Amino acid sequence: MSKFLFTESSIASAISFAALEKYDDAIASYENALRTKPGWSEAIEGYSALLIKQGNYQKAEEILKSSIQDMPKNVKYRNLMGSLYFKKNMLEQAECEFRKILEIESENYETLNGLAKIFEKQGRYSDAFSILKQMEKIAENQLEILQRDHILRRQISALIFQNILKEVANLLRMEREKHPENVEVLNLLAQFFIRSKEKHKELGCYKMIQN
């Protein structure tokens, strides 16, 4: 078997093993691919992502730092590094990494999503809302309806935490009409009523969620 076919086979095996949650076999396959073809980006991406998923942050960070040094404009490497920092609660480093990506590719959806998650976690809801609006524009052309709905609900949540309740009321009314029994929507309604001091309605929402 040629070296190229061997590495392709190793990658395919790694993906299959990961899908079956046979992570040790998947890691072995990625390592075989990288021994045969060091620096192969597809193998590095898959291997790093799997290490992060398993919580092996130290090894993933070593691999990604070395790979970014070799290919500083590789957006996938930097997105993985940003996600790694986020999982380690190193939010300033994660934000820095994501912002470097936006200098290379200003409309990278994964990167914008990473930034929005950081801002949501930090309570920077105005910043989160701005990023979510950018994601919405990208979603209009590239994403499924369910993803667009999820972005809208995150926007609503950001507005609630900023106490911009008049705009929230209009958005929630439309969401409730479209999705009367959606748990996410009902949770947002409950948050809205808490902020509006309408506790009896809040309790009604939670009862509907439980039913």
Side-chain angles (χ1 to χ4, degrees), residues 171-209:
L171 290 169
L172 275 176
R173 190 177 299 113
M174 291 187 290
E175 278 293 281
R176 185 69 192 280
E177 287 173 1
K178 289 190 293 182
H179 309 286
E181 297 182 4
N182 182 279
V183 172
E184 275 189 298
V185 174
L186 292 172
N187 267 318
L188 287 169
L189 277 167
Q191 290 177 38
F192 171 74
F193 291 135
I194 289 169
R195 295 277 172 164
S196 303
K197 309 269 192 301
E198 297 184 44
K199 293 283 187 179
H200 62 289
K201 291 183 178 178
E202 168 209 336
L203 291 172
C205 276
Y206 281 126
K207 284 180 182 176
M208 290 175 70
I209 291 168

Side-chain angles (χ1 to χ4, degrees), residues 64-183:
L64 287 169
K65 278 185 175 177
S66 173
S67 301
I68 288 169
Q69 191 171 3
D70 292 338
M71 298 180 67
K73 292 190 176 182
N74 187 303
V75 168
K76 291 183 179 179
Y77 293 166
R78 287 194 177 276
N79 264 325
L80 284 166
M81 184 64 90
S83 298
L84 171 60
Y85 285 142
F86 182 82
K87 286 180 179 291
K88 292 175 70 176
N89 208 34
M90 298 168 65
L91 301 184
E92 288 184 13
Q93 292 89 331
E95 181 178 348
C96 180
E97 203 63 58
F98 288 136
R99 289 197 181 281
K100 285 176 184 175
I101 295 169
L102 294 178
E103 291 173 8
I104 302 166
E105 194 175 302
S106 62
E107 293 191 347
N108 187 289
Y109 182 87
E110 186 179 349
T111 305
L112 292 169
N113 189 41
L115 267 181
K117 286 181 178 179
I118 291 169
F119 297 153
E120 288 166 338
K121 192 167 186 176
Q122 291 176 325
R124 294 162 61 185
Y125 295 108
S126 177
D127 291 332
F129 184 79
S130 297
I131 294 292
L132 289 163
K133 291 299 284 185
Q134 287 180 253
M135 290 167 62
E136 184 180 34
K137 288 179 183 176
I138 297 170
E140 286 175 0
N141 300 320
Q142 298 180 12
L143 300 176
E144 299 291 336
I145 290 172
L146 286 175
Q147 289 170 293
R148 295 203 295 270
D149 285 344
H150 181 62
I151 293 169
L152 175 60
R153 288 165 198 162
R154 285 172 68 188
Q155 289 176 7
I156 292 170
S157 180
L159 289 169
I160 289 171
F161 280 107
Q162 293 176 84
N163 285 316
I164 305 175
L165 300 181
K166 185 175 180 182
E167 187 171 346
V168 168
N170 292 329
L171 290 169
L172 275 176
R173 190 177 299 113
M174 291 187 290
E175 278 293 281
R176 185 69 192 280
E177 287 173 1
K178 289 190 293 182
H179 309 286
E181 297 182 4
N182 182 279
V183 172

Side-chain angles (χ1 to χ4, degrees), residues 10 24 26-36 43 47 51 59:
S10 295
D24 289 343
I27 283 173
S29 294
Y30 279 126
E31 288 174 348
N32 282 337
L34 288 169
R35 272 194 295 270
T36 307
Y47 187 32
L51 289 170
K59 189 169 181 81

